[in-house]
Amino acid sequence: MPWYAIDAIDDAIDSTRRFLFPFRLGRWLRLAVIVFFLGVLNTGSSPLNFGNFGGSGDVPTQPQPTPSPAPDPTTGVDPGTLAEVALLVGGVLVVLLALVLLFRLIGDVMRFVFLDALRTDDVRIRGPFRRRFGKGLRLFGFKLLLDVVVSVPILVGAALFVLAFVAPGLLSEYGIDPGLFSGLFAGVGVVGIVAALALFALVSVVLGLVVGLTNTFVTAVMLVEDVGVVDGWRRFWPTLRGEWKQYLVYLVMRAILGIGVGIATSIVVAIPGLVIGAIAVVVVIAIVSVFGAMLTPVTAALGGLTLLVAFLAFLLIALPVGIVVQTYFRMYELMVLGHSNPSFALVTIPADGDGGDDGDAGGDGAVGDDGDDGPDSGVGGSRHDDDDRFGDDDRFGDDDRTGSRSESGSRQSTTDETTSAGGDESDDDEEKHSDDGSGFRFGHDTR
């Protein structure tokens, strides 16, 4: 049984090369925008963990309440001011969260824009973005729902468990008994905690697998079948269940490729990135040494400009690498999907046994993936219709040959009459007859 998850590795390289080259600046700039939102600069998916700042639970209770709140002696900040700062920080976090969600939404729409580009070999952004916004929105909602349903209860439970030992007074203020969690820990012991961690890891793996298959295969099914996420899964599931061995091989090969390509891209991107970062640090130090360490509008503007230039320089290095990597892996995944179910194919799938090397070997073999070499080269099994058309042309050729034979007959009878009329032109008639038999039309025969 052929393992097309392995065969598609080389085929994806050829398809990626044909899609990206010859180099065209406008095409690559549009691909850079798409790849940027697909996550070429993603540094991690874990949310930031904010610590618990000490509240009234850490302060000893006084026998008599004071008539007015006194400033905190440790910080010298008025509680009212501290509340305003907390509201400001909360507002900033909400804005950041909204920006992150907006970035994810655009990225999910760009997945379909990228699929359209690979499908049509025409890279566009505005038109496909408008057409695919609904599908991207449904994909974003599906993944967000998974995060809320699976991740939030686990994170809340872990936070409550930690707070029960770190800040029990904080839980008591909200009516939660810390002894509940301490008793649970005493009841289950270390073995129970390890089992809970293993369950959490299993749930994380399953969630990551579902999201990964959705991003790679279900999105393509959604585009081909023009359905939503749930219907896409419903139509993809029979293929996944029937070809589970092939997809298991795909997961293994995808992990190996991901490790190898990740190491290579890290070397290519990280080394120049470190150089750019070091130059930016030197420039910031020079700005501080000249204008002083105090934060002023001038130092803030110069520092921000330095960071912006460094970021753009990093993008100039990272985005081309990301374009090649994203295109290759997407081609690879689409070829695996097309092999497993041809009705889901978005890109040209090479016929079994036909590879790019066969097409490059000579004109007698099947050429490439799409057989663009015409009737003079060998035609594979995927070009039967062309063979039939060539057969029709042969029949038209037979008609031409029939006409040629009629003309030859006319010329032959003319030659016979000429021979009977005079024998001194027999040598010329023999040369004419030889020319007629060779198929050429020169001299007096043409006229």
Side-chain angles (χ1 to χ4, degrees), residues 408 411-412 415 425-443 445:
S408 300
R411 287 192 296 270
Q412 182 64 37
T415 305
E425 297 180 357
S426 59
D427 295 336
D428 295 336
D429 293 336
E430 289 178 358
E431 292 177 0
K432 294 175 184 178
H433 182 72
S434 176
D435 292 340
D436 293 339
S438 64
F440 292 97
R441 302 291 184 267
F442 297 118
D445 292 338

Side-chain angles (χ1 to χ4, degrees), residues 104-105 108 134-150 207 209-215 218-219 222 228-233:
R104 288 183 56 180
L105 173 60
D108 287 332
K135 292 186 183 299
L137 182 61
R138 288 191 287 269
L139 178 63
F140 169 77
F142 176 79
K143 294 193 295 185
L144 183 62
L145 181 63
L146 286 180
D147 290 339
V148 172
V149 171
V150 177
L207 178 63
L209 186 61
V210 171
V211 173
L213 292 177
T214 302
N215 288 333
V218 177
T219 51
M222 291 171 61
V229 183
V230 177
D231 288 335
W233 260 107

Side-chain angles (χ1 to χ4, degrees), residues 77-102:
V77 179
D78 185 78
T81 305
L82 187 61
E84 294 178 358
V85 172
L87 290 176
L88 179 62
V89 172
V92 171
L93 294 180
V94 170
V95 172
L96 291 178
L97 179 61
L99 291 177
V100 170
L101 293 178
L102 179 62

Side-chain angles (χ1 to χ4, degrees), residues 160-161 164-165 168 171-172 175-188:
L160 292 176
F161 187 81
F165 295 93
L171 294 180
S172 299
I176 302 175
D177 185 12
L180 177 64
F181 297 96
S182 59
L184 179 63
F185 177 77
V188 298

Side-chain angles (χ1 to χ4, degrees), residues 22 58 104 121 182 195 203 241 259 276 284-285 326 344 352 355 360 376 391 417 443:
D58 298 330
R104 288 183 56 180
D121 197 25
S182 59
V203 172
R241 185 177 56 188
I259 294 174
I276 294 173
V284 170
I285 292 175
Q326 291 276 2
F344 295 153
D352 294 337
D360 296 334
D376 293 335
E417 294 174 0

Side-chain angles (χ1 to χ4, degrees), residues 283-301:
V283 172
V284 170
I285 292 175
I287 293 174
V288 171
S289 62
V290 172
F291 295 97
M294 296 297 295
L295 183 62
T296 62
V298 176
T299 57

Side-chain angles (χ1 to χ4, degrees), residues 407-423:
E407 295 174 2
S408 300
S410 301
R411 287 192 296 270
Q412 182 64 37
S413 52
T414 304
T415 305
D416 293 340
E417 294 174 0
T418 306
T419 303
S420 61

